[in-house]
Amino acid sequence: MTGNVSAMRAFAIAAVGIAVYSAMDVLMRILSDQSGAYPAVLWRSIAGVALLAPLFIARRKPWPAPATLKLHVARGSIAGASVLLFFWGLVRVPMAQGIALTFLAPLIALFLASVMLGERVGHKAIVGSLVASVGVLAIALGQVQERASETVVLGSLAIIAASVLYAGSLILLRRQAQAADPLEVALFTSIVLSLLLLPGAPWLAGLPTVEQLPSIVVAALLGSISAVALAWAYRHAEAQVLAPVEYTAFAWSALFGWLVFAESVSLYTVAGAVLIIAGCLVAVRGPPPGPQTEAAA
């Protein structure tokens, strides 16, 4: 914990961030369906820079120190690849199913922390991974029962790959949030992503249409609000406290998928999501004291 901010308050702010991000997912899915994930993510990132940079300059914030800048570049790169894969996959699978597969990220983060930081993986993490694996199999079984197309299967695999990368970004997020304020974190994430995607723009991303501009601006605004809220929450509470808030996205994705895309949620998806959530909660509850807690961040 940082300062006098309560864990409940940090959790509530993170929950707002997840809800706002879920609303942004709807716009990004529409844009990705219209023009592709690459241009949609590029446009949103550039719009995010345009929205946040004036605020950063107005506050007369100093340029990040070299160590902090390295954190921004590292997390921005990993998060950017994750976002591209996620929205590419989200166009191809129902929203609730896609979000359910992302719930693997907190669990994967524990194992990545073991590899990257040398932390011990406890027996709870192993049990949790087995339970979560059954959840993924349940969702896969649902696809088999519904005779899902190759496109849906590829979309699911892309989202699982995005979850692995997102887990890596979670390891860096708490350190990044401790080194910089939320506005800086959100701004430099957009800057890094924009700089990474711009070289490929002449071949992979044309200019957006006039009709798409309002959606791009709103998506960037929602994404920026979400990024600031999550960075603030991770600055004031440990990742193990905030991990369960990720699962509120399932309810939002199911609601938005039904309202906007007329998607139903299969029992296989619900069962799989419950098992994945249960596995993650088993894994993240009660970590040993000391560095293990920070590893989950």
Side-chain angles (χ1 to χ4, degrees):
M1 188 73 62
T2 300
N4 297 319
V5 175
S6 68
M8 184 61 69
R9 184 180 177 189
F11 188 94
I13 295 297
V16 171
I18 293 295
V20 172
Y21 196 91
S22 298
M24 184 207 67
D25 283 344
V26 174
L27 291 174
M28 289 298 293
R29 177 174 173 175
I30 293 172
L31 290 168
S32 297
D33 190 39
Q34 292 173 345
S35 305
Y38 193 101
V41 174
L42 173 61
W43 299 333
R44 190 202 69 177
S45 300
I46 293 174
V49 174
L51 289 172
L52 295 173
L55 297 176
F56 184 83
I57 295 171
R59 293 178 60 188
R60 298 183 179 180
K61 298 289 293 183
W63 188 256
T68 304
L69 193 58
K70 288 180 181 179
L71 270 176
H72 290 327
V73 172
R75 183 171 176 270
S77 301
I78 295 173
S82 174
V83 166
L84 274 177
L85 283 169
F86 173 71
F87 286 118
W88 187 90
L90 193 62
V91 173
R92 293 160 174 80
V93 301
M95 279 194 67
Q97 179 179 313
I99 297 297
L101 291 173
T102 67
F103 292 161
L104 290 168
L107 181 60
I108 296 171
L110 293 178
F111 289 93
L112 286 181
S114 175
V115 174
M116 298 171 64
L117 305 175
E119 299 295 340
R120 179 178 60 85
V121 176
H123 70 279
K124 288 186 177 182
I126 296 174
V127 173
S129 67
L130 293 175
V131 175
S133 297
V134 175
V136 175
L137 289 176
I139 294 175
L141 180 61
Q143 291 183 345
V144 172
Q145 291 291 328
E146 296 171 4
R147 297 181 180 180
S149 66
E150 180 180 345
T151 299
V152 173
V153 174
L154 288 176
S156 297
L157 292 175
I159 292 174
I160 292 174
S163 297
V164 175
L165 293 171
Y166 181 62
S169 73
L170 285 178
I171 293 176
L172 296 174
L173 178 55
R174 181 156 168 81
R175 291 184 176 180
Q176 186 186 27
Q178 292 290 329
D181 67 31
L183 176 62
E184 181 180 315
V185 170
L187 171 61
F188 278 84
T189 298
S190 292
I191 290 176
V192 170
L193 190 48
S194 298
L195 292 177
L196 287 174
L197 295 181
L198 272 174
W203 299 276
L204 299 173
L207 293 175
T209 64
V210 174
E211 292 77 13
Q212 289 175 322
L213 290 177
S215 294
I216 293 170
V217 173
V218 174
L221 179 61
L222 293 175
S224 298
I225 292 172
S226 176
V228 169
L230 290 172
W232 185 94
Y234 272 86
R235 183 181 180 88
H236 292 89
E238 296 174 345
Q240 61 170 324
V241 173
L242 299 176
V245 79
E246 297 280 347
Y247 309 132
T248 61
F250 183 77
W252 291 112
S253 63
L255 176 62
F256 291 143
W258 176 64
L259 289 175
V260 181
F261 304 108
E263 295 173 348
S264 59
V265 181
S266 72
L267 291 177
Y268 288 100
T269 298
V270 173
V274 169
L275 287 168
I276 292 172
I277 292 169
C280 290
L281 291 177
V282 168
V284 302
R285 290 298 183 186
Q292 180 72 14
T293 298
E294 183 67 21

